[in-house]
Amino acid sequence: MVVVEGEKLELTNLSKVMWPEENITKADFIDYCVRIAPYILPHLKDRPLVFTRYPDGIYGKAFYQKNVPDYAPDWLMTYDEEINDGNRRKLVRYVLIKDLKSLVWAANQASLEMHPWLSRAGTIDHPDFVVFDLDPMENTGFEDARQLALALKRLLEMEGLKGFPKTSGATGLQVYVPVEARYTYRQVRTFAEFFCRVLEKTFPEKATTERSIKDRRGKVYLDYLQNVKGKTLIAPYSPRPLAEATVSAPVTWDELESGAVPSMFKIRNMAERLEKMGDLFRGVLEEKQRIDRRLQ
């Protein structure tokens, strides 16, 4: 039993190995979450969250969790939202991670991956960033996504806009373009689609917006459809269930130019990187850009 911010938390199965190759236990994972809390919490605050839980480690059975479990503590903050579930509407009670105690609680649930919404509870219909998700398909890899991300950077700069890149922690890249929380999901999706189509036409041998999976082979999928209410993306600094215990890591454009790769950013070194470089994704929280020009 530990006391975090005045609340008692029972931490369980601390010796359970989560990442066998790296010998990272559940205790190590919780410690990681505590160390990165000042950096990750601002990116989670007030955003409905979906967790991927791995109670037996990354090679055990995993499951998604949207609804807050019945045994959750009374002090845990939640957000209710009706979603479409097939042909019916369903109420989902999402967890909100606002503070250290709720982050530690989630970590103790073996929530190795945290997937926040693009909008916050107070402005739920208005995302505060546009997401460009560059997802390598079969016979492509991170290098292809890297080249396309750098091309996207130049396109955004021509519009006077800033984008902030991060690795997915796997093979992909994501670029966030922070905006004022005044646009609808349809508007930010239209904005993202415009630039994705430009990339597709400019690099037809490398990029695609094709919906059919079989027709994406050999190309990077530009998934502008991530900009939909209720869709989620891996949070910055969230680990991935991969052997090397990689983390979804914000990077600088200079690092991308220099050839940074996902395997450089892991649970074992991310806290030290943050202490040295700070939150490279801070601009996603602070910049409030307008995209009206491309919506006319």
Side-chain angles (χ1 to χ4, degrees):
M1 187 76 69
V2 297
V3 177
V4 183
E5 297 177 329
E7 299 291 348
K8 293 182 178 180
L9 289 170
E10 183 179 359
L11 304 183
T12 58
N13 300 318
L14 294 178
S15 62
K16 175 79 72 174
V17 177
M18 298 282 106
W19 285 267
E21 286 86 352
E22 296 292 324
N23 195 30
I24 295 175
T25 65
K26 188 176 175 184
D28 296 327
F29 171 58
I30 294 173
D31 178 68
Y32 169 75
C33 289
V34 171
R35 295 182 68 187
I36 68 162
Y39 307 98
I40 193 173
L41 284 175
H43 296 286
L44 301 180
K45 184 179 179 181
D46 296 329
R47 298 187 191 277
L49 280 169
V50 177
F51 301 101
T52 313
R53 294 176 56 187
Y54 293 80
D56 294 311
I58 65 170
Y59 297 120
K61 185 178 180 180
F63 60 94
Y64 290 100
Q65 184 161 331
K66 288 186 178 181
N67 269 299
V68 61
D70 294 337
Y71 56 80
D74 294 338
W75 47 260
L76 191 68
M77 301 294 290
T78 59
Y79 174 78
D80 291 352
E81 176 74 14
E82 274 198 354
I83 64 170
N84 286 317
D85 184 23
N87 295 321
R88 63 190 180 92
R89 301 284 290 175
K90 182 174 71 172
L91 184 69
V92 177
R93 177 159 291 175
Y94 293 93
V95 172
L96 297 178
I97 300 295
K98 291 192 168 193
D99 46 32
L100 179 60
K101 63 178 180 290
S102 53
L103 182 62
V104 172
W105 174 85
N108 188 57
Q109 304 302 303
S111 302
L112 303 190
E113 293 185 302
M114 292 171 276
H115 305 262
W117 279 37
L118 280 61
S119 53
R120 298 181 187 271
T123 52
I124 202 66
D125 292 317
H126 303 280
D128 47 18
F129 46 77
V130 185
V131 169
F132 291 89
D133 188 17
L134 285 62
D135 189 8
M137 297 288 106
E138 185 180 346
N139 298 324
T140 62
F142 183 81
E143 175 59 21
D144 300 291
R146 185 185 74 87
Q147 293 176 18
L148 289 171
L150 292 171
L152 174 61
K153 173 181 181 286
R154 292 189 287 272
L155 290 175
L156 292 171
E157 287 176 341
M158 291 171 63
E159 299 286 324
L161 295 170
K162 294 180 181 178
F164 296 83
K166 73 178 180 71
T167 69
S168 70
T171 60
L173 264 170
Q174 289 131 17
V175 178
Y176 285 42
V177 178
V179 296
E180 292 183 10
R182 65 194 302 271
Y183 304 101
T184 66
Y185 272 95
R186 179 181 293 275
Q187 287 175 313
V188 299
R189 186 166 63 254
T190 297
F191 175 86
E193 181 181 4
F194 172 82
F195 286 94
C196 288
R197 299 283 186 192
V198 171
L199 287 174
E200 183 179 36
K201 289 179 180 179
T202 307
F203 303 96
E205 78 293 342
K206 191 182 297 289
T208 182
T209 60
E210 175 58 54
R211 298 285 299 278
S212 172
I213 294 176
K214 66 180 177 64
D215 293 329
R216 299 177 193 163
R217 292 173 184 166
K219 298 183 180 182
V220 175
Y221 178 46
L222 308 178
D223 189 4
Y224 63 85
L225 293 174
Q226 285 288 353
N227 296 278
V228 171
K229 184 179 178 181
K231 286 267 193 176
T232 63
L233 276 177
I234 192 72
Y237 312 116
S238 177
R240 305 311 301 268
L242 301 173
E244 294 179 295
T246 48
V247 170
S248 180
V251 293
T252 67
W253 287 113
D254 284 344
E255 285 178 317
L256 273 191
E257 287 274 10
S258 301
V261 294
S263 59
M264 296 169 60
F265 311 108
K266 306 178 181 182
I267 286 178
R268 293 292 192 195
N269 62 20
M270 182 51 63
E272 288 77 10
R273 174 177 166 86
L274 283 165
E275 290 168 7
K276 178 182 178 181
M277 303 186 68
D279 179 16
L280 297 179
F281 236 42
R282 188 75 192 174
V284 174
L285 304 175
E286 296 175 344
E287 297 283 345
K288 305 296 178 184
Q289 302 178 110
R290 299 284 290 266
I291 57 173
D292 304 76
R293 179 182 171 186
R294 285 297 168 192
L295 299 177
Q296 295 174 357

